[in-house]
Amino acid sequence: MKLVFVGASAGNRFMDEVLLAVAHEVGALGVEASFVQDDFEADADAVHVLIPHEFFACVPPERHPSGGAMRRTIAFCVEQPGTPWFELSTLHAGRAGAVVDIQRSGYEELRRRGVRAERFRLGYTEYWDRWGGGHADRPVDVVYLGSANERRARILAGYGRTLWRRRAQLLIPPEAPKREPAPDFLAGEEKWRLLTEAKTLLNVHRQEVPYFEWVRVLEAVANGCVVVSEHSIDVAPLVPGEHFVSGRAESLALLAETLLDDPDRLSALREAAYALIREELPMRPAAERLVAIAQALHARRVGRRAGPRHPAARTGGLARRALGVASSASIGAIRHPTVAWALETQAENHRRLATLSAATKRVVLQQIEIRRTLARLERSLDGGLTEIDELATTPAWASSSPRVTVGIPLYNHAEEVRRALVSVAASRFTDLEVLVVDDASSDGSADVVRAFLDAHPDLPARLLRHGVNRGLGRARNAVFEHGRGELVFALDADNEIYPTAIERLVEALDRDPGATFAYSILEEVTAGVPSGLRSALPWDPKRLAVMNYIDAMSLLRRERILELGGYSEDVRLYGWEDYDLWCRLAEHGGRGVLVPEILCRYHRSPHSMLSVTDIDASELLSLLRERYPSVMGVAAVA
């Protein structure tokens, strides 16, 4: 008998790693174990092990096992009840020769539904261990490795006010299946190496039900990384307070901060957890039981010859429905006249709404342009039109030769701009100047800035003002034209930065001379409360073809941006000036680099530019496709 572990080449690589760890333990028992993808061996001596929700969702139906092969297969279930993935696993587990589940809750729910499942107790395996105990230099204070969803993003956003002081690696890949390693998705050796370099790992649940993420926790503990987890069920034999730290989701960053300030306790938790899983929670007994189950299946000698496919094996449609995915073909197949009429009416209403939105936005943008033109004409007739004037300069400005220019375009943000200036003044990076370009505000914004400069004479700063409103693109370009730093940090007047933001971004560009700009994860704030994350994905031009996922708040190489022509001043790109710049940069072979830390705060407000930008995006996308065909052309493939 031999055990063949079957992965899915189009599925999540994380699932393959789970199977590979179990295969390693089976092999250590002297049993022949191998790993394949997408297929079943015809050899009747082979007993297969697969993760059902992963295999049947990601492998084409024509490659699914026959009924006989399924009776020689162990369904290895890993998902938590209450998810579509668990339902898909349950759908197929009943056809398998045997079923095991790594979650106690999953095992109990399967049994409740009449599926004869056993618990597979995950535990320590040398396959994950790159630490081995002893001392190790750990330069990373906090690491996070969970995929993105709305709940996690909201909770993580609240950690910014604590974690800015620490060295963090917050890797937050999308929930879509992840195959190839990427900056935000580490696999295998890269992941385990990071865990050996990290002091703590934050564990935030994907959903409200507090299931313990056993694989992630065991990998961390096996590499000496102390887990700081949201309160969980099914944690035994680990004990909160002895082997890991447990708390409310909103408090995890503060708990990690407290732990990092107490190296002795941190070390005690690390050593106690590592000793426990090695001595009391090895994976070997579970592997032995898996082998015994496989031997029993093998002994039955059921289905030695490949029989006709079991009807239930053709699960392509079932899988799609279980995951809530409807294909266009299934919609087109609807023949009932009333249903067809309703669908067509709905589609027509969508088309009319899109047309109306596009027209509305064109009117709004035309009004903006008319207002600017009239203002220019009025100032010209008065004889007082100038491109830009200097309104104020601090005493420290003339004697400074800064490396970084913090550029703040300003238009009617009198209530917010002081907050932005205060955050810059608190920066730990001091080799900088502040350049505010007031774009003809009408609410006294310039007076607020002038008063701040008067109160901070030691801060190298300058206030310029356009004679008439010229738009965000022109204001940002003025920063690049009048700023003196080799690097420019773009800061909108209603946002703010944490004290370590500029120094961490400068470090990133110094480490990567080929990058044109660096950006960090942003904490989105709504009505004063952290509500989500922005700019959390690493640079990837393919993503630009679908959406703008990088905010303007970034550190840019001044000369390179000037070579590219700066920000667009086309009114049609109102609110998308940064998106246009990223696409142009990608079109010319440039790139950015993400610093995976929460270093800046993005304040979302009702009067932000997005209120106009979001009216309609069709014309904007059309314009970007015309300007940047090699970048935006990827959208047809994505």
Side-chain angles (χ1 to χ4, degrees):
M1 185 208 70
K2 58 183 178 181
L3 272 172
V4 179
F5 293 80
V6 187
S9 61
N12 193 331
R13 183 166 174 174
F14 177 77
M15 301 299 171
D16 289 352
E17 290 186 351
V18 174
L19 292 179
L20 285 166
V22 178
H24 171 85
E25 290 299 309
V26 168
L29 295 170
V31 177
E32 183 180 350
S34 60
F35 178 81
V36 300
Q37 287 185 328
D38 302 341
D39 216 344
F40 278 65
E41 293 190 10
D43 189 344
D45 286 331
V47 174
H48 300 89
V49 182
L50 59 78
I51 297 175
H53 85 269
E54 191 79 0
F55 182 89
F56 288 104
C58 300
V59 175
E62 60 270 16
R63 305 189 73 174
H64 291 181
S66 65
M70 276 299 290
R71 289 190 289 274
R72 304 198 303 276
T73 296
I74 301 172
F76 195 93
C77 301
V78 302
E79 286 296 323
Q80 300 159 345
T83 66
W85 308 111
F86 180 83
E87 297 304 321
L88 187 57
S89 288
T90 304
L91 179 68
H92 296 286
R95 300 191 301 111
V99 182
V100 298
D101 197 307
I102 67 171
Q103 307 281 353
R104 186 184 70 181
S105 55
Y107 152 74
E108 291 174 348
E109 178 62 18
L110 286 170
R111 300 280 291 191
R112 190 186 69 80
R113 297 188 187 190
V115 179
R116 297 178 60 186
E118 292 191 28
R119 176 84 184 275
F120 183 95
R121 197 66 170 94
L122 285 177
Y124 172 83
T125 172
E126 291 182 350
Y127 184 78
W128 290 331
D129 189 349
R130 297 300 178 274
W131 176 43
H135 176 75
D137 184 28
R138 295 181 181 270
V140 179
D141 292 318
V142 178
V143 68
Y144 174 83
L145 300 174
S147 59
N149 71 4
E150 185 176 344
R151 180 182 189 272
R152 284 172 164 169
R154 174 177 52 79
I155 292 168
L156 288 170
Y159 298 163
R161 66 193 66 184
T162 301
L163 294 185
W164 66 263
R165 303 175 182 84
R166 299 294 181 173
R167 294 285 177 171
Q169 291 281 306
L170 308 180
L171 309 185
I172 315 171
E175 283 201 291
K178 297 162 281 292
R179 286 303 307 169
E180 299 304 319
D184 59 342
F185 176 63
L186 302 185
E189 295 295 335
E190 285 190 331
K191 175 174 59 177
W192 301 322
R193 188 182 310 116
L194 175 60
L195 291 171
T196 66
E197 296 173 352
K199 297 182 180 75
T200 63
L201 176 137
L202 301 181
N203 185 55
V204 179
H205 302 319
R206 183 168 56 187
Q207 54 190 355
E208 294 294 339
V209 181
Y211 297 123
F212 204 42
E213 288 79 2
W214 267 106
V215 176
R216 183 177 298 121
V217 169
L218 287 168
E219 286 182 313
V221 172
N223 288 287
C225 183
V226 177
V227 175
V228 180
S229 177
E230 186 176 358
H231 288 314
S232 309
I233 58 176
D234 189 28
V235 302
L238 297 176
V239 178
E242 294 183 20
H243 306 110
F244 70 102
V245 174
S246 178
R248 294 172 55 249
E250 293 77 11
S251 304
L252 298 190
L254 288 172
L255 290 171
E257 175 89 348
T258 302
L259 196 57
L260 291 166
D261 286 336
D262 189 350
D264 291 339
R265 182 164 184 249
L266 185 69
S267 178
L269 286 166
R270 174 184 298 123
E271 293 170 6
Y274 185 70
L276 177 80
I277 66 169
R278 290 200 61 162
E279 297 167 12
E280 298 184 30
L281 194 60
M283 199 187 297
R284 192 63 50 84
E288 292 172 346
R289 178 57 189 154
L290 190 73
V291 170
I293 294 171
Q295 288 172 336
L297 292 181
H298 179 257
R300 296 175 192 170
R301 302 289 186 180
V302 175
R304 280 184 173 275
R305 300 178 183 176
R309 290 196 181 275
H310 192 287
R314 298 181 177 88
T315 56
L318 285 173
R320 282 192 293 272
R321 285 195 291 276
L323 299 178
V325 178
S327 68
S328 58
S330 65
I331 293 175
I334 295 175
R335 293 290 183 265
H336 193 284
T338 302
V339 175
W341 172 84
L343 290 173
E344 181 56 36
T345 300
Q346 184 183 47
E348 177 61 24
N349 288 339
H350 281 304
R351 286 192 290 270
R352 290 179 179 177
L353 181 60
T355 302
L356 179 61
S357 297
T360 301
K361 184 170 183 178
R362 281 194 294 272
V363 170
V364 172
L365 295 179
Q366 286 169 3
Q367 289 177 338
I368 292 172
E369 188 62 22
I370 290 170
R371 187 172 66 246
R372 290 173 180 169
T373 301
L374 290 175
R376 285 195 295 271
L377 288 172
E378 184 179 354
R379 291 293 298 273
S380 295
L381 292 173
D382 291 343
L385 179 62
T386 56
E387 168 67 19
I388 195 165
D389 298 307
E390 180 183 290
L391 297 187
T393 303
T394 61
W397 183 84
S399 60
S400 65
S401 53
R403 187 179 183 199
V404 173
T405 296
V406 178
I408 304 178
L410 173 62
Y411 181 67
N412 289 348
H413 279 295
E415 295 183 3
E416 298 90 358
V417 66
R418 190 180 188 284
R419 180 180 61 200
L421 290 167
V422 168
S423 75
V424 176
S427 174
R428 290 186 178 178
F429 186 90
T430 57
D431 188 11
L432 57 76
E433 67 174 357
V434 179
L435 180 57
V436 180
V437 178
D438 180 54
D439 197 26
S441 297
S442 58
D443 68 343
S445 292
D447 293 334
V448 174
V449 175
R450 198 196 313 260
F452 184 87
L453 268 53
D454 288 343
H456 295 79
D458 295 333
L459 176 68
R462 192 181 186 200
L463 169 62
L464 305 179
R465 177 181 171 87
H466 280 150
V468 295
N469 181 260
R470 302 295 301 274
L472 179 61
R474 182 65 205 135
R476 284 184 178 163
N477 287 335
V479 169
F480 280 82
E481 294 164 8
H482 295 274
R484 299 174 297 170
E486 67 169 283
L487 305 173
V488 175
F489 182 77
L491 176 62
D492 287 338
D494 54 343
N495 295 328
E496 58 187 312
I497 62 174
Y498 283 114
T500 52
I502 295 177
E503 74 174 12
R504 301 279 171 86
L505 294 171
V506 169
E507 288 173 2
L509 289 183
D510 286 345
R511 285 194 304 267
D512 190 348
T516 301
F517 73 102
Y519 60 102
S520 75
I521 302 172
L522 310 184
E523 167 194 340
E524 183 175 292
V525 180
T526 304
V529 178
S531 55
L533 300 174
R534 285 175 171 262
S535 299
L537 298 173
W539 173 259
D540 184 351
K542 293 180 181 178
R543 288 192 177 118
L544 287 174
V546 180
M547 63 176 179
N548 182 23
Y549 62 95
I550 305 174
D551 187 76
M553 212 176 331
S554 58
L555 184 70
L556 308 99
R557 298 191 191 275
R558 179 170 170 268
E559 290 301 323
R560 180 58 178 144
I561 299 303
L562 290 173
E563 289 172 2
L564 289 168
Y567 291 91
S568 173
E569 299 178 23
D570 189 332
V571 70
R572 293 175 296 173
L573 288 166
Y574 182 93
W576 277 26
E577 293 86 355
D578 49 325
Y579 193 2
D580 175 80
L581 181 61
W582 307 147
C583 291
R584 194 176 340 135
L585 180 66
E587 190 85 0
H588 288 80
R591 59 182 173 82
V593 58
L594 170 66
V595 176
E597 302 179 51
I598 302 172
L599 300 177
C600 309
R601 305 189 85 201
Y602 176 96
H603 290 267
R604 191 178 184 96
S605 60
H607 59 277
S608 72
M609 293 183 70
L610 289 176
S611 60
V612 175
T613 305
D614 290 346
I615 293 175
D616 176 70
S618 58
E619 190 171 356
L620 289 165
L621 289 171
S622 177
L623 186 59
L624 292 179
R625 291 190 188 105
E626 179 183 331
R627 291 186 174 193
Y628 313 114
S630 65
V631 174
M632 300 304 291
V634 183
V637 180

